[in-house]
Amino acid sequence: KAGVTQTPRYLIKTRGQQVTLSCSPISGHRSVSWYQQTPGQGLQFLFEYFSETQRNKGNFPGRFSGRQFSNSRSEMNVSTLELGDSALYLCASSLGVTQYFGPGTRLTVL
Amino acid sequence: AQTVTQSQPEMSVQEAETVTLSCTYDTSESDYYLFWYKQPPSRQMILVIRQEAYKQQNATENRFSVNFQKAAKSFSLKISDSQLGDAAMYFCAYRSRETSGSRLTFGEGTQLTVNP
């Protein structure tokens, strides 16, 4: 089976712009979670989607949003980008207990 | 809320030797899962091993084993016969079994260096 894929792998944006990241889960996986990884804050949970519904949400401002489509693919959107949003954004999918991660999208905000 | 703590920011080991990475966690729950993930320089998070809290037996996956002490809320990872490919950042993670969802809470990570 193909693993979790994320696009794009690298992204450079400027402050105030918005960005959309995409995640395709492993075939058959219905849960998709998003995490932000930064050197200062470590790995932090953003949100989880299951069957097109947000099931859990982390402690991030409303500028961070997401959605899931009927084929389980997920997107996350960050509006009005700030310098502090520069991070590696990881997506993970699961069918049961274990989450399997994608390679991440490296976002740089200038 | 649950917290996970990895008190060793960096560890090093000689090739072929054994190393133990420490992890402690805080939770009021009795049913949960614990994981060790590995993140090599490629940044791809890879599952190393998983432990269910209701199982007393420590999980083992080839050269990787855990020492799970539920009462002490401790979950250490032992890597035997260390190989150069084991060099990576290792994260300990917690997942509740009592609330819905797959949310993982991660520790700060331990950077493991393997010396030839």
Side-chain angles (χ1 to χ4, degrees):
Chain A
K1 269 187 182 177
V4 179
T5 58
Q6 292 186 245
T7 55
R9 294 291 312 277
Y10 302 91
L11 208 47
I12 299 175
K13 293 285 188 180
T14 56
R15 276 188 306 173
Q17 287 187 311
Q18 76 164 16
V19 67
T20 299
L21 312 182
S22 181
C23 171
S24 292
I26 292 171
S27 178
H29 288 196
R30 294 166 64 190
S31 167
V32 174
S33 297
W34 290 88
Y35 296 85
Q36 181 196 64
Q37 185 175 22
T38 60
Q41 300 298 317
L43 279 152
Q44 293 188 288
F45 172 78
L46 279 154
F47 29 65
E48 179 195 3
Y49 286 86
F50 181 83
S51 292
E52 302 179 64
T53 301
Q54 189 179 84
R55 184 158 71 171
N56 275 302
K57 189 177 190 307
N59 195 22
F60 278 81
R63 301 184 297 106
F64 291 82
S65 63
R67 60 179 175 167
Q68 187 179 35
F69 301 95
S70 58
N71 62 357
S72 293
R73 189 178 70 87
S74 178
E75 289 181 348
M76 68 163 280
N77 184 78
V78 188
S79 62
T80 320
L81 283 165
E82 301 177 0
L83 295 178
D85 297 333
S86 293
L88 180 69
Y89 290 88
L90 292 166
C91 163
S93 76
S94 67
L95 178 62
V97 174
T98 299
Q99 291 197 6
Y100 298 91
F101 285 81
T105 293
R106 169 75 65 185
L107 172 64
T108 302
V109 182
L110 303 175
Chain B
Q2 297 82 25
T3 59
V4 178
T5 302
Q6 294 177 246
S7 59
Q8 307 153 314
E10 298 177 347
M11 291 281 285
S12 64
V13 63
Q14 291 296 126
E15 197 175 2
E17 294 191 346
T18 296
V19 64
T20 298
L21 309 184
S22 301
C23 172
T24 58
Y25 57 95
D26 189 26
T27 183
S28 59
E29 299 176 339
S30 60
D31 203 5
Y32 48 86
Y33 302 98
L34 295 165
F35 304 84
W36 279 98
Y37 280 90
K38 163 185 174 181
Q39 189 179 42
S42 68
R43 295 299 192 182
Q44 176 92 44
M45 294 279 278
I46 301 164
L47 175 70
V48 175
I49 200 164
R50 174 182 112 187
Q51 174 79 44
E52 289 84 353
Y54 61 86
K55 289 187 178 178
Q56 292 188 336
Q57 187 172 5
N58 289 324
T60 299
E61 288 286 343
N62 301 314
R63 298 183 294 106
F64 299 88
S65 61
V66 298
N67 184 4
F68 173 49
Q69 301 290 326
K70 191 173 184 180
K73 295 180 183 174
S74 170
F75 182 60
S76 61
L77 174 70
K78 186 171 85 170
I79 306 174
S80 304
D81 186 25
S82 297
Q83 300 175 0
L84 295 177
D86 294 334
M89 181 74 88
Y90 285 80
F91 291 96
C92 178
Y94 173 103
R95 176 191 162 173
S96 170
R97 202 166 182 245
E98 297 180 8
T99 58
S100 66
S102 306
R103 176 179 187 155
L104 293 173
T105 300
F106 286 92
E108 306 89 338
T110 296
Q111 181 67 53
L112 177 67
T113 301
V114 181
N115 300 308

